[in-house]
Amino acid sequence: MKALEGVRVLDMTHVQSGPSCTQLLAWFGADVIKIERPGVGDITRGQLRDIPDVDSLYFTMLNHNKRSVTLNPKTEQGSKIFRKLIEECDVMVENFGPGAIDRMGFPWEKIQEINPRMIYASIKGFGPGPYDDCKVYENVAQCTGGAASTTGFLDGLPVVTGAQIGDSGTGMNLALGIVTALYQREQSGKGQRVECAMQDGIINLCRVKLRDQQRLAHGPLNEYSQHGEGVPFGEATPRAGNDSGGGQPGTILRCNGWETDPNAYVYFIAQAAVWGNVCDLIGKPEWKEDPGYATPGVRLDKMKDIFATIEEWTMTVDKFEVMRRCNPLNIPCGPILSMKEIAEEPSLRDTGTIVEVDHPERGTYLSVGNPIKLSESPVDVVRSPLLGEHTDEVLESVVGLSEEEIAAAHESGAV
Ligand code: CAO
């Protein structure tokens, strides 16, 4: 038994944000029926291909545990089939450009009329307002959600992060909205609309930066390293390099091998509560009692030099040894792990966070498993479907078409 067993999802998603949401629902046990344009499919099937004519990793890593049906709701017969699918499903998810589902002839009012229990969930780039017509990709969301203006170094350009916080982040928000609406439906018997804007999702993740924007009105941000370095603040929350976003100073330091290994670094937090341990570890026990170093406040304008001294020690050992030595002393730190190291880490395989999947056309590949672990709803990651692999089976068992009707649907180009 899986948590969402019995929930059927009409999956009209493409690219990353929507598919990441429906993949989560599938991992929790929902029957996710992915609708794709006949002959074409989700555009990512063919993007960034590493093997000719084989579904890309972009697609396979976002569409596990789903069924694929080709269907064009813009054709006469396709529209009838789509209507029946709306009747039979509990949830419909889409992340097309603004208005695309309406243009298919299925605005929310009509969906509600066909199936009042339907939960209709959408991702768009922006919520209602001046930009609600715009198409949006990951980096546009990162820039318009405030993340890019606060990422990077003070003397450099705004920077986007490689973590897909706009796409997979918003997908996760939508999944939460959907299961919450399903829960409310248990009481109300009614469906509802669930809407997530990528800009909103990024702003939610930038909460501490809006905090700092307001703190600026009351004086400089003491914990930012630019304060210690005497660089004045402007009107907006600045880029903070590798400064920690919280109240404990932290930064990235070089470790043994940094000259040749681009990831021989560690994130080191000089947490006030373990300051004595830090001093002992780096061979500066005298700093524990020194009035110029003993308390967090007096250390603030010296953090650059303090981290340089800590780095003299971290450069003598490798990044894993830094962690081995710091952990027993309760000093929070984290080695900079490369994607290669993550792919090879056995404990991540053991927990299902990284999974090896077999695919009939590409062979085995690595994917990211479910980051949310439920003790009563284990996840088996099943390879992504081939284009239209389940069309006939869904037309027969969900839509209720006969063999002749299915043949006619193929003939007409509806599926
Ligand atoms: N049969 C027939 N037509 C189909 C179809 C099907 N099964 N599935 C989709 N289509 C059509 C739609 O009807 C739409 O056509 P019209 O615009 O002519 O009505 C078109 O395909 C899809 O349009 P789109 O605007 O979604 O596609 P795009 O490639 O131009 O834009 C994207 C892509 C992602 C920018 C846009 O979908 C978007 O802004 N989505 C919302 C925000 C979002 O999720 N962004 C993140 C994407 S992940 O990086």
Side-chain angles (χ1 to χ4, degrees):
M1 171 90 191
K2 301 275 170 73
L4 293 182
E5 220 164 280
V7 173
R8 186 169 277 156
V9 179
L10 180 52
D11 181 7
M12 298 291 289
T13 67
H14 68 160
V15 201
Q16 181 177 172
S17 65
S20 70
C21 164
T22 51
Q23 178 169 263
L24 277 175
L25 301 178
W27 280 338
F28 289 133
D31 175 15
V32 176
I33 301 171
K34 183 173 172 100
I35 305 298
E36 298 183 77
R37 199 198 300 242
V40 183
D42 187 325
I43 192 168
T44 59
R45 284 188 186 267
Q47 280 179 340
L48 310 177
R49 274 191 172 147
D50 54 333
I51 304 173
D53 305 323
V54 170
D55 285 339
S56 70
L57 285 165
Y58 197 3
F59 178 84
T60 54
M61 291 175 76
L62 282 156
N63 290 286
H64 294 107
N65 298 64
K66 303 181 187 178
R67 297 201 272 177
S68 167
V69 168
T70 52
L71 176 69
N72 185 346
K74 290 172 170 171
T75 63
E76 197 185 330
Q77 204 180 353
S79 176
K80 285 185 192 144
I81 294 170
F82 193 59
R83 189 188 168 94
K84 180 71 177 158
L85 283 168
I86 293 174
E87 281 171 21
E88 295 299 322
C89 289
D90 301 278
V91 178
M92 176 170 159
V93 191
E94 64 89 20
N95 70 307
F96 290 127
I101 298 284
D102 297 18
R103 290 193 291 278
M104 283 179 182
F106 292 91
W108 164 229
E109 297 72 27
K110 184 162 173 190
I111 294 169
Q112 248 183 326
E113 200 184 292
I114 299 169
N115 180 358
R117 286 174 59 80
M118 174 64 87
I119 286 148
Y120 175 43
S122 303
I123 291 178
K124 297 287 166 261
F126 296 96
Y131 306 119
D132 57 12
D133 266 355
C134 300
K135 295 189 179 187
V136 168
Y137 284 105
E138 173 68 49
N139 289 347
V140 176
Q142 287 194 26
C143 292
T144 56
S149 74
T150 59
T151 306
F153 289 90
L154 206 51
D155 56 358
L157 294 175
V159 171
V160 294
T161 166
Q164 305 286 282
I165 54 180
D167 280 339
S168 287
T170 308
M172 203 166 268
N173 290 349
L174 196 72
L176 176 61
I178 289 168
V179 293
T180 305
L182 280 168
Y183 186 74
Q184 190 172 6
R185 195 179 74 171
E186 290 295 301
Q187 304 300 322
S188 68
K190 282 194 337 204
Q192 63 182 296
R193 267 204 96 155
V194 180
E195 295 175 288
C196 288
M198 293 168 73
Q199 183 188 38
D200 296 358
I202 300 286
I203 292 171
N204 176 55
L205 297 175
C206 287
R207 181 174 288 105
V208 299
K209 300 299 179 179
L210 185 59
R211 173 201 68 195
D212 292 348
Q213 179 63 41
Q214 296 170 88
R215 289 173 60 222
L216 267 180
H218 302 283
L221 307 172
N222 293 340
E223 79 286 8
Y224 279 53
S225 52
Q226 83 175 73
H227 177 62
E229 290 158 24
V231 181
F233 287 85
E235 287 185 344
T237 307
R239 295 191 259 293
N242 289 316
D243 288 352
S244 125
Q248 306 292 342
T251 197
I252 288 183
L253 303 175
R254 289 174 287 184
C255 295
N256 191 17
W258 66 274
E259 298 92 337
T260 52
D261 177 354
N263 294 302
Y265 294 83
V266 69
Y267 199 92
F268 194 102
I269 298 180
Q271 195 183 358
V274 290
W275 174 244
N277 291 349
V278 174
C279 296
D280 288 336
L281 181 72
I282 63 170
K284 286 281 183 191
E286 64 275 18
W287 279 356
K288 287 191 278 189
E289 307 299 333
D290 186 330
Y293 289 88
T295 54
V298 296
R299 289 197 291 273
L300 276 178
D301 63 354
K302 303 186 188 72
M303 283 318 297
K304 192 174 177 185
D305 292 338
I306 290 171
F307 278 127
T309 307
I310 298 173
E311 193 175 53
E312 281 172 23
W313 172 71
T314 59
M315 282 165 68
T316 64
V317 284
D318 75 36
K319 62 187 177 185
F320 296 107
E321 183 62 16
V322 174
M323 196 164 187
R324 269 194 293 276
R325 303 271 282 274
C326 286
N327 265 350
L329 302 173
N330 287 328
I331 302 169
C333 68
I336 307 304
L337 295 187
S338 68
M339 273 299 140
K340 183 172 186 298
E341 286 163 333
I342 284 173
E344 292 166 357
E345 171 57 45
S347 66
L348 294 174
R349 302 286 185 99
D350 293 346
T351 56
T353 297
I354 300 290
V355 287
E356 200 171 284
V357 187
D358 204 13
H359 187 277
E361 293 180 343
R362 73 163 37 256
T364 55
Y365 63 96
L366 285 187
S367 198
V368 180
N370 194 343
I372 305 166
K373 324 286 190 208
L374 266 59
S375 65
E376 297 301 314
S377 187
V379 174
D380 313 304
V381 178
V382 177
R383 65 146 175 104
S384 59
L386 303 176
L387 179 60
E389 187 174 346
H390 306 97
T391 303
D392 290 1
E393 132 188 342
V394 169
L395 289 184
E396 191 195 334
S397 65
V398 181
V399 182
L401 297 190
S402 67
E403 234 172 77
E404 296 73 42
E405 287 168 325
I406 293 172
H410 280 286
E411 184 75 13
S412 72
V415 300

